[in-house]
């Protein structure tokens, strides 16, 4: 099970993501224009996304604290508004991962930035679903499906992939692809294990 909550843009860092975390439940918190989106993945199924109206960050953080256990991982799109949510969850001792879409990808040979890596990962998952089946199931939500299928990319002369800028995609789409963002972050699995960096340090970890 995996939950994802997105806040637009991202840092990559960990907080209290160790000691018996229940990796079967992962959340992604996303705050776009202060409109939170919560995406949950249970097994091979993306559940219907939860969207609530404009709320201040403490309200959204409180909702996550009320609906999850401290050792259930929450992924946070942690730039801008999201950084405050990450800080609040970390301060409460919640297992939290913050991501910065503009930061370097883990695979710097193939991807220009982390955003490209995250979206390409989703592309490969859906390609595998098309070819093999029984890989992933998503809600029958036209807005989500449009978000996921409309983003363009281009290969650079460096050999890296770069995704279409979000502002440009918003103009073509006529709105912000927030449901798609939240979904692809939910599907993304960080390739570096936090335990490698944790050791005996009790402080938050920033990568």
């Amino acid at each position: 099970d995996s939950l994802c909550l997105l806040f637009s843009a991202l840092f990559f860092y960990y907080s209290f993501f160790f000691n018996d975390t229940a990796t079967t439940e992962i959340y992604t918190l996303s705050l776009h224009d202060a409109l939170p989106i919560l995406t949950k993945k249970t097994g091979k199924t993306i559940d219907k996304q939860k969207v609530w109206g404009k709320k201040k960050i403490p309200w959204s953080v409180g909702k996550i604290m009320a609906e999850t256990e401290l050792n259930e991982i929450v992924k946070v799109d942690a730039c801008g508004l999201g950084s405050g949510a990450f800080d609040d969850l970390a301060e409460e001792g919640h297992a939290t991962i913050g991501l910065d879409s503009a930061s370097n990808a883990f695979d710097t040979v193939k991807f220009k930035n982390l955003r490209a890596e995250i979206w390409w990962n989703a592309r490969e998952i859906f390609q595998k679903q098309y070819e093999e089946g029984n890989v992933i199931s998503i809600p029958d939500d036209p807005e989500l499906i449009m978000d996921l299928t409309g983003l363009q990319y281009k290969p650079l002369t460096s050999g890296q992939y770069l995704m279409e800028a979000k502002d440009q995609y918003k103009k073509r789409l006529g709105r912000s692809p927030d449901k798609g963002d939240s979904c692809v972050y939910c599907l993304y699995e960080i390739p570096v294990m936090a335990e490698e960096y944790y050791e005996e340090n009790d402080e938050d970890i920033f990568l």
Side-chain angles (χ1 to χ4, degrees), residues 107 110-111 115-136 148 153 161 163 184 187-189:
D107 185 349
K110 188 172 182 179
F111 303 107
R115 179 171 178 262
E117 187 168 20
I118 289 172
W119 272 91
W120 195 267
N121 171 75
R123 180 183 187 275
E124 291 183 335
I125 290 173
F126 289 118
Q127 180 67 28
K128 190 174 181 181
Q129 166 65 27
Y130 174 76
E131 295 174 351
E132 303 177 13
N134 195 31
V135 174
I136 191 68
L148 293 172
Y153 69 90
Y161 286 114
M163 297 299 126
V184 298
L187 292 172
Y188 183 70
E189 294 184 8

Side-chain angles (χ1 to χ4, degrees), residues 22-91:
T23 54
T24 56
E25 292 289 350
I26 302 177
Y27 299 75
T28 302
L29 178 61
S30 169
L31 275 177
H32 296 282
D33 299 324
L35 290 176
I37 298 176
L38 175 63
T39 304
K40 177 182 179 182
K41 178 174 174 286
T42 305
K44 298 177 180 180
T45 301
I46 295 288
D47 296 346
K48 182 178 179 179
Q49 294 173 306
K50 294 182 180 180
V51 182
W52 53 89
K54 288 190 176 182
K55 301 288 185 181
K56 292 185 177 180
I57 290 174
W59 192 97
S60 295
V61 171
K63 186 172 178 65
I64 296 302
M65 292 294 296
E67 294 189 3
T68 65
E69 300 295 330
L70 290 179
N71 63 344
E72 291 178 332
I73 298 170
V74 177
K75 297 177 186 176
V76 180
D77 182 353
C79 188
L81 293 171
S83 63
F86 175 87
D87 289 343
D88 288 350
L89 287 168
E91 187 173 336

Side-chain angles (χ1 to χ4, degrees), residues 127-186:
Q127 180 67 28
K128 190 174 181 181
Q129 166 65 27
Y130 174 76
E131 295 174 351
E132 303 177 13
N134 195 31
V135 174
I136 191 68
S137 174
I138 65 173
D140 185 13
D141 180 338
E143 188 173 308
L144 171 62
I145 293 169
M146 187 175 295
D147 289 356
L148 293 172
T149 56
L151 185 68
Q152 298 178 357
Y153 69 90
K154 65 179 180 180
L156 304 176
T157 55
S158 62
Q160 298 170 306
Y161 286 114
L162 177 67
M163 297 299 126
E164 178 181 15
K166 186 168 183 178
D167 286 346
Q168 181 177 335
Y169 189 30
K170 286 169 67 174
K171 288 181 180 178
R172 288 199 303 104
L173 199 59
R175 55 175 174 77
S176 185
D178 299 333
K179 288 186 175 181
D181 280 340
S182 185
C183 182
V184 298
Y185 279 99
C186 189

